[in-house]
């Protein structure tokens, strides 16, 4: 049945008449799909339906992402870069990375660019400026409703081309707006879309994946940063080693670097700590499930 849907996608891809599309391999065999690939966009996961929490999905998805990691390990190029989209994305990325020990773990990531784009759009609408006038918003932690959309270092570019602080541009109620509107709207946007569409986000997720891949391939601009969930070193922002946590990064020559030494207000750091705690719990649960799945 899934292959019928894949066939539909194949037909649509053909109909796009994409000049750069050299060929399609339509398969449900990971080792065939991943052979010699440069990029893996791991979109398929057990999907969340209305009312479900992401944690409900963990057990099923550990099995899926272990298998995908093992297949990547076996047949993909060792330089492959991996973007995990299927939820719970951060922990799925960790499971895939752990299952692919021959691929450097820095080449695994999870998508939080969708949250980043949501933060950009909401901020631009609030300030009544164009979205491309806003930059350096960021998302910390998990791609879940504990995530921390952060405007502390956000800038907007005025009509003379100068960058100004978003925080300073907000009116007196700015802090209230951030706490009561901005953070919860961005953090719960995925659930809001599922409620409305009865399906998870699709168009905005595809756009975010394209943004993520484009920046990883071609780099970020100047000192502008973007958000992606990557392996934590244990040395920054109170995030323990070995989690896939969303952080602000800049990218050059295909290498991401966490933006160093950002000042974090206490209110934001507390929220980051809570999201990190959720990631630690997910990791523990995932490791338990992993040990229950026999190795192939
Ligand atoms: C989103 O942020 O739109 C999705 O990750 C939501 C979901 O759980 O599928």
């Amino acid at each position: 049945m899934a292959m019928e849907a894949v066939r539909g996608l194949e037909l649509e891809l053909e109909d796009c008449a994409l000049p750069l599309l050299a060929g399609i391999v339509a398969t449900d065999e990971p080792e065939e799909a991943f052979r010699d690939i440069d990029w893996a966009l791991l979109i398929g996961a057990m999907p969340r339906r209305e009312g479900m929490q992401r944690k409900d999905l963990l057990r099923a998805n550990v099995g899926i992402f272990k298998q995908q990691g093992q297949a990547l390990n076996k047949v993909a190029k060792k330089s492959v870069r991996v973007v995990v989209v299927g939820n719970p994305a951060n922990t799925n990325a960790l499971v895939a990375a752990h299952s692919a020990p021959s691929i450097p773990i820095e080449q695994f990531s999870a998508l939080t660019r969708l949250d980043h784009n949501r933060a950009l759009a909401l901020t631009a609408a609030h300030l009544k400026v164009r979205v491309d006038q806003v930059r350096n918003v960021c998302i910390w932690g998990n791609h879940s409703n504990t995530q921390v959309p952060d405007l502390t270092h956000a800038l907007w570019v005025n009509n003379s081309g100068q960058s100004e602080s978003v925080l300073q541009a907000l009116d007196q109620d700015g802090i209230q707006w951030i706490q009561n509107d901005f953070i919860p709207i961005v953090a719960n946007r995925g659930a809001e879309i599922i409620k409305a569409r009865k399906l998870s986000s699709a168009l905005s997720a595809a756009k975010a994946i394209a943004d993520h891949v484009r920046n990883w391939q071609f780099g970020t601009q100047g000192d502008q940063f973007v958000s992606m969930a990557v392996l934590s070193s244990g040395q920054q922002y109170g995030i323990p080693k070995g989690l896939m946590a969303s952080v602000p990064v800049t990218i050059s020559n295909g290498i991401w670097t966490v933006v160093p030494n950002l000042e974090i207000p206490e209110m934001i750091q507390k929220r980051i700590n809570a999201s990190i705690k959720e990631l630690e719990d997910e990791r523990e649960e995932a490791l338990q499930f992993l040990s229950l799945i026999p190795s192939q």
Side-chain angles (χ1 to χ4, degrees), residues 79-153:
S79 55
V80 66
R81 282 178 275 178
V82 183
V83 187
V84 175
V85 179
N87 282 318
N90 302 52
T91 301
N92 289 343
L94 200 61
V95 169
H98 276 295
S99 309
S102 70
I103 298 168
I105 197 163
E106 295 75 19
Q107 289 163 216
F108 285 80
S109 69
L111 187 80
T112 52
R113 188 61 172 268
L114 178 52
D115 313 290
H116 182 102
N117 287 349
R118 289 166 174 162
L120 282 176
L122 190 58
T123 306
H126 190 72
L127 293 181
K128 300 190 174 56
V129 298
R130 291 189 325 270
V131 78
D132 64 353
Q133 287 177 273
V134 183
R135 52 191 58 161
N136 291 3
V137 303
C138 73
I139 306 293
W140 300 94
N142 202 357
H143 173 66
S144 74
N145 59 6
T146 69
Q147 68 176 258
V148 191
D150 183 12
L151 291 181
T152 309
H153 301 279

Side-chain angles (χ1 to χ4, degrees), residues 48 54 57 85 87 114-115 118 143 189-191 193-194 200-201 204:
R48 178 160 71 130
R54 293 164 75 261
L57 305 176
V85 179
N87 282 318
L114 178 52
D115 313 290
R118 289 166 174 162
H143 173 66
R189 187 69 157 195
I193 290 171
I194 291 172
S200 198
S201 54
S204 56

Side-chain angles (χ1 to χ4, degrees), residues 54 77 131 144 167 186 208 227 261:
R54 293 164 75 261
K77 285 188 186 161
V131 78
S144 74
L167 283 192
V186 174
S227 305
N261 305 323

Side-chain angles (χ1 to χ4, degrees), residues 171-242:
D171 56 22
Q172 284 182 337
D173 296 333
I175 295 297
Q176 258 82 34
W177 177 75
I178 288 175
Q179 299 210 31
N180 301 338
D181 298 286
F182 173 73
I183 292 177
I185 289 175
V186 174
N188 292 296
R189 187 69 157 195
E192 190 184 348
I193 290 171
I194 291 172
K195 189 156 189 270
R197 267 172 43 87
K198 315 289 179 234
L199 285 172
S200 198
S201 54
L203 178 62
S204 56
K207 160 70 166 55
I209 297 166
D211 290 344
H212 180 114
V213 170
R214 187 185 310 106
N215 281 141
W216 206 350
Q217 179 70 28
F218 297 113
T220 45
Q221 283 186 346
D223 55 4
Q224 286 185 41
F225 46 80
V226 294
S227 305
M228 65 197 265
V230 289
L231 187 79
S232 57
S233 65
Q235 281 158 16
Q236 284 164 299
Y237 304 116
I239 305 174
K241 193 173 166 156

